[in-house]
Amino acid sequence: MGWENMRERGRAAGFLRDDIAAAIPVNAAQLPAAGLLWWIWSASQDQYDTGYDGAFGIFCLLIFAPLLLPLLGLVLSAVLTLPAILLARPLLRWFGGPEWACRTVAAAAAAIGWGAAAALLLRTPFATAAAVLTALGLLPALGIAYVRTRSWSRWGLWWRSALACAGLFALALGGGIAASATGLIPQYEPPRLAPARLAGVWYGERGAELRLAPGGRAEARGLPAEPTDNDSTAPDSKDYVICAGTGTWKPDDDPYGTDRVGILLHFDRDCGLDTHWSVSGTESAPRLFALLGDPDDGTLRILDRAGD
């Protein structure tokens, strides 16, 4: 009896090892397409006037993909596919039904678990994280069942993975271009807030707080501002200084010609230069942001309205 149990455990371990070996190239095949879709989506979001080096990033991805994809496929297999495999087998044993259905449920459950962790630790929207991870987990969870029925060598599996990678990338590129051209992925437009809506309390990281009164008075605590000496070539230059106290504010269009509304903040005491804060976010959840220091490589600071 003990020998039979050991043999059964050995077979289970062998199946698990084969599943992971099949999942790695499947995961690797989908990552460039997933990265391209993420880039297309992020390009449609607010870039906070920092510019975007997406084309250079895509070029680097294509150059280093043969080295990075197997490693990234291994990581994704360990994080997403392995938990789905371990969960799918008891689901199939307990409830029966088609294997693909159990694998789909298991992949979604693993993605939901990691989505909850991302929402808790990284403060990302839970629904977004769970949906993205589910999409990444479904193809490997379903694909390894097909791969196990083929008598492919490891090399045969990887060159088929390369072909699938190219096909998925081309499909994602065409779909992304079509979605952008037809407006399914709308381009970001900053809200046009009236001065009355700019007044209020705004909070940022590291305890930054800005209170804008309707009459034009302002009060700040731990707020970054443009430094008085803004020579970015100096070895001891700083992107910003931290200010606290009272001052004034007034509506001010973006000086860089990006068609944004914003404010110009002036401190009563000598603390930095007058600093322009631009409007970002949405009509329902606006933000203020400032790019401090070198315009090409400065520090981005963001303020959220209290209560949003």
Side-chain angles (χ1 to χ4, degrees):
M1 184 66 69
W3 176 249
E4 289 297 326
N5 289 337
M6 291 181 62
R7 291 181 61 185
E8 183 65 28
R9 287 196 294 268
R11 283 195 295 268
F15 283 131
L16 182 62
R17 186 169 55 249
D18 291 342
D19 281 352
I20 294 298
I24 293 173
V26 175
N27 270 310
Q30 69 175 345
L31 286 177
L36 177 64
L37 290 176
W38 173 84
W39 175 72
I40 293 173
W41 172 83
S42 62
S44 69
Q45 306 304 299
D46 191 1
Q47 300 300 320
Y48 297 104
D49 301 339
T50 59
Y52 200 78
D53 295 328
F56 179 73
I58 294 295
F59 175 76
C60 291
L61 174 64
L62 294 176
I63 293 297
F64 295 104
L67 299 177
L68 292 177
L69 287 181
L71 177 60
L72 295 177
L74 173 61
V75 172
L76 198 60
S77 297
V79 171
L80 274 182
T81 311
L82 179 58
I85 293 172
L86 295 176
L87 182 59
R89 287 177 179 171
L91 286 177
L92 185 62
R93 186 168 60 251
W94 295 337
F95 301 104
E99 183 180 0
W100 67 265
C102 293
R103 289 183 176 273
T104 299
V105 172
I112 289 172
W114 282 110
L120 180 63
L121 300 177
L122 303 177
R123 298 182 179 179
T124 58
F126 167 73
T128 301
V132 170
L133 292 174
T134 299
L136 286 175
L138 275 179
L139 181 60
L142 298 175
I144 55 178
Y146 174 80
V147 171
R148 280 197 286 105
T149 64
R150 305 299 173 185
S151 58
W152 295 333
S153 65
R154 294 292 172 84
W155 168 245
L157 179 57
W158 274 103
W159 74 256
R160 287 176 173 84
S161 172
L163 291 179
C165 178
L168 289 173
F169 190 87
L171 185 63
L173 179 61
I177 293 175
S180 298
T182 58
L184 292 177
I185 304 179
Q187 296 300 307
Y188 175 79
E189 292 185 4
R192 305 287 298 180
L193 297 185
R197 293 200 60 200
L198 291 169
V201 183
W202 304 81
Y203 291 106
E205 60 181 314
R206 305 175 190 173
E209 179 181 332
L210 176 62
R211 295 177 178 269
L212 303 177
R217 293 297 297 173
E219 182 179 354
R221 180 178 63 186
L223 192 73
E226 291 281 1
T228 304
D229 182 9
N230 57 0
D231 182 8
S232 60
T233 61
D236 58 345
S237 65
K238 297 180 180 179
D239 286 343
Y240 59 87
V241 293
I242 298 297
C243 296
T246 59
T248 59
W249 71 276
K250 63 179 181 179
D252 184 55
D253 289 340
D254 196 328
Y256 303 107
T258 57
D259 195 32
R260 290 183 189 264
V261 298
I263 66 169
L264 187 66
L265 182 63
H266 169 78
F267 283 97
D268 290 337
R269 67 184 183 88
D270 185 18
C271 185
L273 300 174
D274 291 357
T275 302
H276 178 88
W277 290 83
S278 300
V279 172
S280 180
T282 63
E283 289 284 347
S284 59
R287 286 177 155 184
L288 293 176
F289 76 91
L291 186 61
L292 304 163
D294 186 352
D296 296 324
D297 188 26
T299 299
L300 176 67
R301 296 295 295 269
I302 298 174
L303 303 176
D304 292 295
R305 187 197 292 274
D308 290 337

